Amino acid sequence: MSKVRVTLAAIVLTTFGVSAAQAHHSAAMFDFTRSGELEGVVKDIRVINPHMSLTLVVTDTKGTRNVSFEGHSVNNFYRAGWRPNSVKVGDKIKVKFAPRKDGGDGGFVNAFTTAQGQEIGFKLPGAAAPASGTKASTN
Amino acid sequence: MLNSFSRRFALLPAAAAVYWLGLGAANADEPHVDLSGVWGSYIEPGQSPFGRPGSGLDLPFTPEGKQKVEAYRALVAAGSDNPGAHCLGSGMPESMMFSGGYPMEIIQRPEQITIIYEAHSEIRRLYLGEKILPEADRLPGRNGYSVARWEGDTLIVESTSLREQEDQMYPHSDKAHIVERYHQETDASGTRVLVADMTLTDPLFYTKPVTAKKKWAFDPKGVLLPYECNEEAWLDHLETLKQRQTAARKAKKS
């Protein structure tokens, strides 16, 4: 395995903040020791820097609702295999994410499975790696 | 008396000596290595790729340095705010020691070495020889002003003209002086490894020099990606403008 890697958890947990509509803030609101999983239909998606944003229409025991996520930068997802046509509005996808510490809906997306079944992303410390996700390297 | 042939060749050893001495002197300042290319963080065998290098550092702060750092951390604690969250580069020495774990690209020329850190497209320019500005002409910045020289195959970089920064992994005052010594190694798998030994001296913030080591692995196929950190804030701003416009149009109609 290549030793050239991007230290993803470091990116998430420290230097690179997470922005919201009104103001930028850090990623301290997410619990990176835990992992959640949800399936839904993409309402909107931006895969940009410093991180991606995603709204899924989710239907589960809580009912049907919009769930907002943030996630890795476009640079990290690109190196994990994401391409501009990978996920589109209307696609049914599955996301793996670090949940919010306050217990609310949503979280920080580490990986997602596209409508075509491609798994893209990274593993969290101690979590199982997505099929294409462990080599967040520059080669 | 020497004939012309003998005179000509009698001078050869002296001429050769002058030539080689001159060449030798020139070579002493010129590198035999080219660091140009893309480098990613080097993960030591058995080392976790997770976690921020330098986290939990026990730094030898002076009382003044400690007071300033604690005041900054108390200020941002509520939102765990940081410069990167506002699309600001790390600044030295964090740009070199960490930079979010993203790769960097080095462009080496004899008079200037340019380092582009992918994160925030942060750029450092290391000046050599006649490109070096007098101290009075240097603008201070988060990455300071860097003067470089070669000692054999070791690149030595000295950075001053730094802004005071409590907001990074190695906080420092504007009196900080950072020395980086770069050399190359090859690991057991044949990977080119770039090693930097960093020494931070700052009499206002530290009671003694702070030292650290950073390694990168050469990535022959690596490319740096763009990093437009403000794009999201701009898109959000546009969305806000659209909402205001829609509200204004509705108000006008009613």
Side-chain angles (χ1 to χ4, degrees), chain B residues 39-117:
Chain B
W39 301 80
S41 292
Y42 182 80
I43 309 298
E44 301 277 5
Q47 179 189 345
S48 168
F50 298 103
R52 181 190 203 186
S55 57
L57 283 172
D58 185 17
L59 297 169
F61 287 119
T62 60
E64 182 182 351
K66 186 178 180 187
Q67 184 270 325
K68 287 195 168 188
V69 171
E70 286 179 350
Y72 162 75
R73 290 177 181 169
L75 183 68
V76 299
S80 298
D81 221 339
N82 58 65
H86 297 264
C87 298
L88 188 64
S90 305
M92 275 292 287
E94 185 172 320
S95 52
M96 182 272 289
M97 290 296 300
F98 180 51
S99 199
Y102 286 89
M104 67 174 181
E105 182 172 14
I106 295 178
I107 304 167
Q108 182 175 322
R109 301 201 311 259
E111 78 285 7
Q112 179 179 314
I113 296 170
T114 305
I115 304 176
I116 306 167
Y117 301 100

Side-chain angles (χ1 to χ4, degrees), chain A residues 3-7 9-11 14-17 19-21 24 26 28 46 48-51 73 75-76 79 123 125 138-139, chain B residues 41 43 49-50 79-80 82 84-85 94 98 100-103 118-120 187 217 219 222-223 225-229 232-233 236:
Chain A
K3 297 187 184 75
V4 187
R5 294 197 216 180
V6 177
T7 49
I11 293 165
T14 59
T15 300
F16 298 91
S19 69
H24 287 258
S26 84
R46 287 182 194 164
I48 56 178
N49 284 316
H51 63 90
S73 68
N75 297 30
N76 281 343
R79 291 197 170 100
K123 73 168 190 174
T138 55
N139 42 333
Chain B
S41 292
I43 309 298
F50 298 103
S80 298
N82 58 65
E94 185 172 320
F98 180 51
Y102 286 89
E118 180 171 290
H120 302 290
D187 76 0
D219 186 354
V223 293
L225 298 172
Y227 198 104
E228 298 285 357
C229 180
E232 184 179 26
D236 287 342

Side-chain angles (χ1 to χ4, degrees), chain B:
Chain B
M1 180 181 283
L2 298 171
N3 61 29
S4 66
F5 179 86
S6 301
R7 276 202 303 274
R8 193 180 307 155
F9 285 93
L11 293 173
L12 266 181
V18 168
Y19 174 79
W20 285 111
L21 279 172
L23 193 63
N27 278 348
D29 295 331
E30 291 174 6
H32 300 282
V33 294
D34 184 1
L35 303 180
S36 295
V38 173
W39 301 80
S41 292
Y42 182 80
I43 309 298
E44 301 277 5
Q47 179 189 345
S48 168
F50 298 103
R52 181 190 203 186
S55 57
L57 283 172
D58 185 17
L59 297 169
F61 287 119
T62 60
E64 182 182 351
K66 186 178 180 187
Q67 184 270 325
K68 287 195 168 188
V69 171
E70 286 179 350
Y72 162 75
R73 290 177 181 169
L75 183 68
V76 299
S80 298
D81 221 339
N82 58 65
H86 297 264
C87 298
L88 188 64
S90 305
M92 275 292 287
E94 185 172 320
S95 52
M96 182 272 289
M97 290 296 300
F98 180 51
S99 199
Y102 286 89
M104 67 174 181
E105 182 172 14
I106 295 178
I107 304 167
Q108 182 175 322
R109 301 201 311 259
E111 78 285 7
Q112 179 179 314
I113 296 170
T114 305
I115 304 176
I116 306 167
Y117 301 100
E118 180 171 290
H120 302 290
S121 302
E122 194 168 4
I123 294 176
R124 292 179 65 204
R125 295 176 178 85
L126 322 179
Y127 298 108
L128 297 93
E130 294 180 358
K131 287 274 283 189
I132 298 169
L133 285 174
E135 282 189 32
D137 294 340
R138 299 173 187 173
L139 283 173
R142 287 176 65 83
N143 279 308
Y145 186 93
S146 298
V147 171
R149 66 180 188 278
W150 289 97
E151 287 184 3
D153 289 342
T154 299
L155 177 68
I156 299 163
V157 184
E158 297 195 43
S159 299
T160 53
S161 300
L162 289 145
R163 288 203 190 282
E164 181 170 302
Q165 294 165 59
E166 290 84 14
D167 55 11
Q168 65 155 286
M169 66 164 59
Y170 295 95
H172 58 72
S173 77
D174 59 359
K175 301 292 184 289
H177 179 239
I178 301 168
V179 179
E180 300 153 82
R181 295 179 67 89
Y182 291 85
H183 73 276
Q184 280 195 99
E185 298 174 355
T186 304
D187 76 0
S189 68
T191 300
R192 282 173 63 193
V193 180
L194 182 62
V195 182
D197 291 289
M198 186 277 290
T199 303
L200 165 63
T201 308
D202 182 349
L204 291 184
F205 268 51
Y206 295 112
T207 58
K208 59 183 180 181
V210 174
T211 60
K213 188 185 289 289
K214 166 77 179 180
K215 293 184 178 182
W216 299 264
F218 187 68
D219 186 354
K221 295 181 180 174
V223 293
L224 246 59
L225 298 172
Y227 198 104
E228 298 285 357
C229 180
N230 274 319
E231 188 176 12
E232 184 179 26
W234 171 241
L235 293 174
D236 287 342
H237 179 64
L238 284 180
E239 188 58 38
T240 302
L241 291 181
K242 284 178 188 170
Q243 289 171 7
R244 284 183 194 161
Q245 187 182 53
T246 303
R249 284 174 177 165
K250 279 183 183 173
K252 199 175 178 180
K253 283 181 183 174
S254 59

